[in-house]
Short mmCIF file of all heavy atoms in Angstrom, two decimals:
data_model
loop_
_atom_site.label_atom_id
_atom_site.label_comp_id
_atom_site.label_asym_id
_atom_site.label_seq_id
_atom_site.Cartn_x
_atom_site.Cartn_y
_atom_site.Cartn_z
N LEU A 242 114.46 34.29 -40.72
CA LEU A 242 114.20 32.97 -40.12
C LEU A 242 113.07 33.15 -39.15
O LEU A 242 113.16 34.01 -38.25
CB LEU A 242 115.46 32.48 -39.42
CG LEU A 242 116.44 31.84 -40.38
CD1 LEU A 242 117.86 32.06 -39.94
CD2 LEU A 242 116.15 30.34 -40.51
N VAL A 243 112.00 32.40 -39.31
CA VAL A 243 110.81 32.63 -38.47
C VAL A 243 110.30 31.33 -37.84
O VAL A 243 110.53 30.23 -38.34
CB VAL A 243 109.66 33.29 -39.28
CG1 VAL A 243 110.04 34.65 -39.78
CG2 VAL A 243 109.18 32.40 -40.43
N ASP A 244 109.59 31.54 -36.74
CA ASP A 244 108.90 30.45 -36.06
C ASP A 244 107.62 30.15 -36.87
O ASP A 244 106.82 31.05 -37.12
CB ASP A 244 108.54 30.98 -34.63
CG ASP A 244 107.71 30.03 -33.82
OD1 ASP A 244 107.18 29.06 -34.39
OD2 ASP A 244 107.56 30.29 -32.61
N ASP A 245 107.45 28.89 -37.28
CA ASP A 245 106.33 28.51 -38.15
C ASP A 245 104.96 28.89 -37.58
O ASP A 245 104.03 29.18 -38.31
CB ASP A 245 106.31 26.97 -38.35
CG ASP A 245 107.37 26.54 -39.33
OD1 ASP A 245 108.19 27.39 -39.73
OD2 ASP A 245 107.39 25.35 -39.69
N GLU A 246 104.84 28.81 -36.26
CA GLU A 246 103.56 29.03 -35.59
C GLU A 246 103.01 30.45 -35.77
O GLU A 246 101.88 30.64 -36.17
CB GLU A 246 103.73 28.82 -34.08
CG GLU A 246 103.51 27.42 -33.60
CD GLU A 246 102.14 26.88 -33.92
OE1 GLU A 246 101.16 27.49 -33.44
OE2 GLU A 246 102.05 25.90 -34.66
N ASN A 247 103.89 31.45 -35.48
CA ASN A 247 103.41 32.83 -35.43
C ASN A 247 104.21 33.77 -36.33
O ASN A 247 103.95 34.97 -36.35
CB ASN A 247 103.47 33.34 -33.98
CG ASN A 247 104.82 33.01 -33.35
OD1 ASN A 247 105.83 32.89 -34.06
ND2 ASN A 247 104.86 32.88 -32.04
N LEU A 248 105.15 33.21 -37.08
CA LEU A 248 106.04 33.97 -38.00
C LEU A 248 106.91 34.99 -37.27
O LEU A 248 107.43 35.91 -37.91
CB LEU A 248 105.22 34.65 -39.12
CG LEU A 248 104.30 33.80 -39.96
CD1 LEU A 248 103.82 34.57 -41.17
CD2 LEU A 248 104.98 32.52 -40.42
N ASP A 249 107.07 34.83 -35.97
CA ASP A 249 107.99 35.71 -35.23
C ASP A 249 109.42 35.42 -35.69
O ASP A 249 109.85 34.27 -35.71
CB ASP A 249 107.92 35.44 -33.71
CG ASP A 249 106.75 36.16 -33.08
OD1 ASP A 249 106.14 37.01 -33.77
OD2 ASP A 249 106.47 35.89 -31.90
N PRO A 250 110.18 36.47 -36.06
CA PRO A 250 111.58 36.24 -36.44
C PRO A 250 112.35 35.63 -35.26
O PRO A 250 112.10 36.01 -34.11
CB PRO A 250 112.08 37.65 -36.75
CG PRO A 250 110.87 38.44 -37.09
CD PRO A 250 109.77 37.86 -36.26
N ILE A 251 113.23 34.66 -35.53
CA ILE A 251 113.99 34.07 -34.44
C ILE A 251 115.40 34.67 -34.40
O ILE A 251 115.93 35.10 -35.43
CB ILE A 251 114.06 32.52 -34.52
CG1 ILE A 251 114.78 32.08 -35.80
CG2 ILE A 251 112.68 31.90 -34.46
CD1 ILE A 251 115.29 30.67 -35.70
N GLU A 252 115.94 34.72 -33.18
CA GLU A 252 117.25 35.35 -33.00
C GLU A 252 118.37 34.36 -32.71
O GLU A 252 119.54 34.66 -32.89
CB GLU A 252 117.17 36.39 -31.87
CG GLU A 252 117.20 37.80 -32.41
CD GLU A 252 115.98 38.60 -32.08
OE1 GLU A 252 115.77 38.82 -30.88
OE2 GLU A 252 115.24 38.97 -33.01
N ASN A 253 117.98 33.17 -32.24
CA ASN A 253 118.98 32.12 -32.01
C ASN A 253 118.37 30.76 -32.27
O ASN A 253 117.15 30.65 -32.49
CB ASN A 253 119.56 32.23 -30.59
CG ASN A 253 118.44 32.22 -29.57
OD1 ASN A 253 117.67 31.26 -29.54
ND2 ASN A 253 118.35 33.24 -28.74
N TRP A 254 119.21 29.73 -32.23
CA TRP A 254 118.75 28.38 -32.61
C TRP A 254 118.03 27.66 -31.48
O TRP A 254 117.52 26.57 -31.68
CB TRP A 254 119.92 27.52 -33.09
CG TRP A 254 120.60 28.06 -34.30
CD1 TRP A 254 121.90 28.43 -34.42
CD2 TRP A 254 120.02 28.27 -35.61
NE1 TRP A 254 122.17 28.88 -35.69
CE2 TRP A 254 121.04 28.79 -36.44
CE3 TRP A 254 118.75 28.10 -36.16
CZ2 TRP A 254 120.82 29.12 -37.78
CZ3 TRP A 254 118.53 28.43 -37.48
CH2 TRP A 254 119.55 28.94 -38.28
N GLU A 255 118.07 28.26 -30.27
CA GLU A 255 117.43 27.57 -29.12
C GLU A 255 115.92 27.50 -29.31
O GLU A 255 115.34 28.29 -30.03
CB GLU A 255 117.75 28.31 -27.81
CG GLU A 255 119.13 27.95 -27.29
CD GLU A 255 119.88 29.19 -26.80
OE1 GLU A 255 119.28 29.97 -26.07
OE2 GLU A 255 121.06 29.34 -27.18
N GLY A 256 115.30 26.52 -28.63
CA GLY A 256 113.84 26.40 -28.71
C GLY A 256 113.48 25.29 -29.68
O GLY A 256 114.13 25.13 -30.72
N LYS A 257 112.41 24.55 -29.34
CA LYS A 257 112.09 23.35 -30.11
C LYS A 257 111.13 23.61 -31.27
O LYS A 257 110.77 22.73 -32.00
CB LYS A 257 111.47 22.31 -29.16
CG LYS A 257 112.46 21.72 -28.20
CD LYS A 257 112.13 20.23 -27.93
CE LYS A 257 113.27 19.49 -27.28
NZ LYS A 257 113.71 20.05 -25.99
N PHE A 258 110.68 24.87 -31.41
CA PHE A 258 109.68 25.16 -32.42
C PHE A 258 110.24 24.94 -33.84
O PHE A 258 111.45 24.95 -34.05
CB PHE A 258 109.16 26.59 -32.27
CG PHE A 258 110.22 27.60 -32.00
CD1 PHE A 258 110.96 28.13 -33.03
CD2 PHE A 258 110.51 27.99 -30.70
CE1 PHE A 258 111.95 29.05 -32.79
CE2 PHE A 258 111.51 28.92 -30.44
CZ PHE A 258 112.24 29.44 -31.49
N ASN A 259 109.32 24.75 -34.78
CA ASN A 259 109.74 24.56 -36.17
C ASN A 259 110.09 25.92 -36.78
O ASN A 259 109.40 26.90 -36.55
CB ASN A 259 108.62 23.92 -36.97
CG ASN A 259 108.31 22.53 -36.47
OD1 ASN A 259 109.24 21.77 -36.16
ND2 ASN A 259 107.05 22.20 -36.34
N LYS A 260 111.17 25.90 -37.56
CA LYS A 260 111.65 27.17 -38.12
C LYS A 260 111.67 27.10 -39.64
O LYS A 260 111.96 26.03 -40.21
CB LYS A 260 113.08 27.44 -37.65
CG LYS A 260 113.29 27.33 -36.15
CD LYS A 260 114.78 27.16 -35.84
CE LYS A 260 115.02 26.83 -34.39
NZ LYS A 260 114.73 25.41 -34.06
N THR A 261 111.39 28.23 -40.29
CA THR A 261 111.46 28.30 -41.74
C THR A 261 112.27 29.53 -42.15
O THR A 261 112.13 30.58 -41.51
CB THR A 261 110.02 28.35 -42.33
OG1 THR A 261 109.35 27.13 -41.98
CG2 THR A 261 110.04 28.46 -43.85
N GLY A 262 113.09 29.36 -43.15
CA GLY A 262 113.85 30.48 -43.71
C GLY A 262 113.11 30.97 -44.96
O GLY A 262 112.88 30.18 -45.88
N CYS A 263 112.73 32.23 -44.96
CA CYS A 263 111.91 32.79 -46.07
C CYS A 263 112.71 33.89 -46.75
O CYS A 263 113.31 34.73 -46.09
CB CYS A 263 110.64 33.41 -45.54
SG CYS A 263 109.63 32.24 -44.62
N ILE A 264 112.63 33.89 -48.08
CA ILE A 264 113.44 34.86 -48.83
C ILE A 264 112.62 35.51 -49.96
O ILE A 264 111.74 34.86 -50.53
CB ILE A 264 114.71 34.16 -49.38
CG1 ILE A 264 115.74 35.20 -49.80
CG2 ILE A 264 114.38 33.23 -50.57
CD1 ILE A 264 117.13 34.62 -49.93
N ALA A 265 112.94 36.76 -50.24
CA ALA A 265 112.42 37.43 -51.45
C ALA A 265 113.62 38.03 -52.16
O ALA A 265 114.45 38.68 -51.52
CB ALA A 265 111.41 38.51 -51.09
N VAL A 266 113.69 37.79 -53.45
CA VAL A 266 114.85 38.28 -54.22
C VAL A 266 114.34 38.94 -55.49
O VAL A 266 113.45 38.42 -56.18
CB VAL A 266 115.78 37.08 -54.60
CG1 VAL A 266 116.94 37.53 -55.47
CG2 VAL A 266 116.31 36.41 -53.33
#
Side-chain angles (χ1 to χ4, degrees):
L242 278 148
V243 297
D244 174 348
D245 284 7
E246 270 302 298
N247 48 27
L248 306 191
D249 277 351
I251 63 160
E252 253 119 65
N253 54 58
W254 298 120
E255 280 136 47
K257 289 216 165 58
F258 43 82
N259 295 319
K260 310 162 189 77
T261 298
C263 302
I264 197 162
V266 176

